[in-house]
């Protein structure tokens, strides 16, 4: 048996490839950022070719860095930014428009109309999702309605749609596979999570021809083989999951009640709810975790749109830090935020607010405010947003969550996790490998090709790095949370 698995991690701001060995140890990593496109206020796009070519580039770079021949790679796992929409010509394989990113708010008014038309309950019961421009359906409709000739071509069966995983698989297989997995399909607002199939009633509601849609496959199994011209040999693509479901799998949250939070571009908290979907009445999303050997695991999810992206904005938008990792030292250079609160609602707010018209705000500024206070407030905002989601989850389930497993790039920040433990009054568990999004895809791919006999076999390879314990009193905690909610109230509906 070959010794390595490649995980392609197609993120929102960069493409990465991580090579894992059979014990899920990282052998090499390659990463490359790609441009973010902002045509109008609240609009976010990517060039689909940038996504594919940077992903291919880092895959080759990671193998070269580790001095590994492609013939030594058993399988590829793919994990990706979810909900992002790409539509391309079936005959040429070329996109007809830029990828519309999950963060994009251009269809907020269309979503408001759907809510006013009474579609909320229909969509929630079928898909487990709330009506929001976050999801794929209204983005696909926007492309069909606004790109010249698109709807006519779609009706003739000449256009294909895919989320980022689907786009990558299509290109990697030389156009042979137009497929996606159940976790990504469940984020489109077109997939019925009760019947586990595309829903004809929803397709009609959004005016999307079924001929555009990919075949939906289990998360663990064969999706196709790479075109031999890319790596010199065909390599099986055998594990696919949307980034948050993949991180849940990589955290070994295989049992009902297991919870993890990812601090990435956005912040995403997922709880495994077992083989039965639990539908929320309070703004949590019900979605598919994965399907393996015919068994589907469902999850409850709370989504925060801007998490680590706030730190990226401090770096790239206003230039008050040079490197993202500097945020920890900068935050610790002051004892507190000095009363400053940062609400990173750059593209609206997700759970529990679901307000596309909220906008970013920095409040509590005085003459004594420094850049360190603002940086610290931005880091603390990640923890406050996580608090809002976990409180909602506990209220929904009527039970207390005792600890939280964490991952994502920002969880390397010890100050963030210490503050998170304080605000949640819970233990925070950080794994040895915080790249659990890529690890989950690798584990799924490895399970499919026989590297692992079961999920318990995978769990043996995962170790804990550090546990953070809460260290503040209840009065201080409540005061901070109350002021956070006061700050959020100022940012809600600002752009309405």
């Amino acid at each position: 048996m070959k010794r390595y698995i490649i995980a392609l991690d197609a993120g929102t701001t960069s493409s990465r490839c991580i090579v894992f060995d059979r014990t899920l140890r990282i052998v090499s990593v390659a990463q490359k950022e790609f441009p973010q496109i902002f045509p109008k206020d609240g609009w976010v796009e990517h060039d689909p070719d940038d996504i594919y070519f940077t992903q291919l580039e880092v895959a080759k770079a990671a193998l070269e860095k580790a001095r590994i021949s492609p013939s030594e790679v058993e399988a590829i796992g793919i994990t990706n930014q979810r909900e992002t929409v790409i539509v391309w010509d079936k005959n040429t394989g070329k996109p007809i428009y830029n990828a519309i990113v999950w963060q994009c708010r251009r269809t907020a008014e269309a979503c408001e109309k759907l809510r006013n038309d009474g579609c909320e309950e229909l969509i929630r019961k079928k898909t487990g999702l709330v009506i929001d421009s976050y999801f794929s359906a209204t983005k696909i409709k926007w492309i069909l309605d606004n790109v010249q000739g698109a709807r006519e071509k779609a009706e003739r069966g000449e256009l294909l749609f895919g989320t980022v995983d689907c786009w990558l698989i299509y290109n990697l297989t030389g156009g042979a596979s137009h497929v996606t997995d159940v976790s990504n399909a469940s984020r489109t607002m077109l997939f019925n999570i009760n019947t586990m199939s595309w829903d004809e009633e929803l397709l009609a509601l959004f005016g999307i021809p079924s001929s555009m849609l990919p075949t939906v496959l289990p998360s663990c199994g064969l999706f196709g083989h790479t075109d031999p011209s890319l790596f010199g040999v065909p390599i099986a693509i055998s594990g696919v999951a949307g980034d948050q479901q993949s991180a849940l799998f990589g955290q070994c949250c295989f049992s009902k009640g297991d919870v993890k939070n990812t601090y990435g571009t956005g912040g995403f908290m997922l709880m495994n709810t077992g083989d039965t979907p639990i539908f929320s009445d309070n703004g949590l999303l019900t979605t598919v975790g994965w399907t393996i050997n015919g068994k589907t695991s469902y999850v409850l999810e709370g989504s925060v749109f801007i998490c680590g992206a706030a730190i990226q904005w401090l770096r790239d938008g206003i230039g008050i830090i040079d490197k993202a990792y500097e945020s920890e030292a900068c935050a610790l250079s002051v004892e507190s935020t000095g009363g400053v609160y940062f609400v990173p609602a750059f593209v609206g707010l997700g759970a529990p607010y679901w307000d596309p018209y909220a906008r970013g705000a920095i409040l509590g500024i005085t003459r004594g405010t420094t850049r360190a206070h603002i940086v610290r407030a931005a880091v603390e905002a990640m923890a406050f947003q996580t608090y809002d989601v976990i409180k909602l989850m506990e209220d929904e389930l009527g039970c207390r969550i005792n600890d939280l497993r964490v991952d994502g790039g920002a969880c390397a920040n010890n100050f963030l996790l210490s503050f998170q433990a304080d605000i949640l009054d819970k233990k925070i568990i950080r794994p040895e490998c915080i790249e659990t999004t890529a690890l989950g895809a690798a584990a799924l791919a490895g399970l499919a090709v026989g590297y692992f006999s079961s999920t318990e076999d995978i769990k043996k390879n995962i170790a804990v790095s550090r546990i953070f314990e809460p260290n503040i009193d209840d009065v201080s905690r409540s005061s901070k949370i109350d002021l956070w909610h006061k700050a959020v109230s100022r940012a809600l509906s600002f752009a309405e």
Side-chain angles (χ1 to χ4, degrees), residues 429-491:
I429 303 171
R430 181 171 64 193
E432 198 169 271
C433 174
I434 65 172
E435 303 296 349
T436 53
T437 302
L439 189 148
L444 284 165
L447 191 61
V449 298
Y451 267 24
F452 310 110
S453 59
S454 65
T455 53
E456 288 303 310
D457 198 19
I458 294 169
K459 194 177 288 188
K460 295 173 186 175
N461 296 290
I462 308 301
V464 171
S465 166
R466 182 172 169 184
I467 296 175
F468 296 81
E469 302 267 6
N471 193 34
I472 63 170
D473 59 78
D474 291 343
V475 173
S476 297
R477 179 182 300 111
S478 295
S479 175
K480 291 176 185 293
I481 292 167
D482 288 346
L483 284 169
W484 160 253
H485 288 147
K486 186 176 182 180
V488 170
S489 71
R490 304 297 196 266

Side-chain angles (χ1 to χ4, degrees), residues 49 88-95 167 170-171:
D49 287 335
W88 63 95
D89 189 293
K90 184 177 182 179
N91 299 313
T92 67
K94 299 296 182 184
W167 170 245
Y170 183 85
N171 282 280

Side-chain angles (χ1 to χ4, degrees), residues 107-116 131-134 138 189:
T107 62
E109 288 185 7
C111 289
E112 189 171 342
K113 183 178 186 304
L114 286 168
R115 285 190 290 272
N116 291 339
I131 295 177
D132 194 84
S133 54
Y134 175 28
T138 57
M189 216 155 67

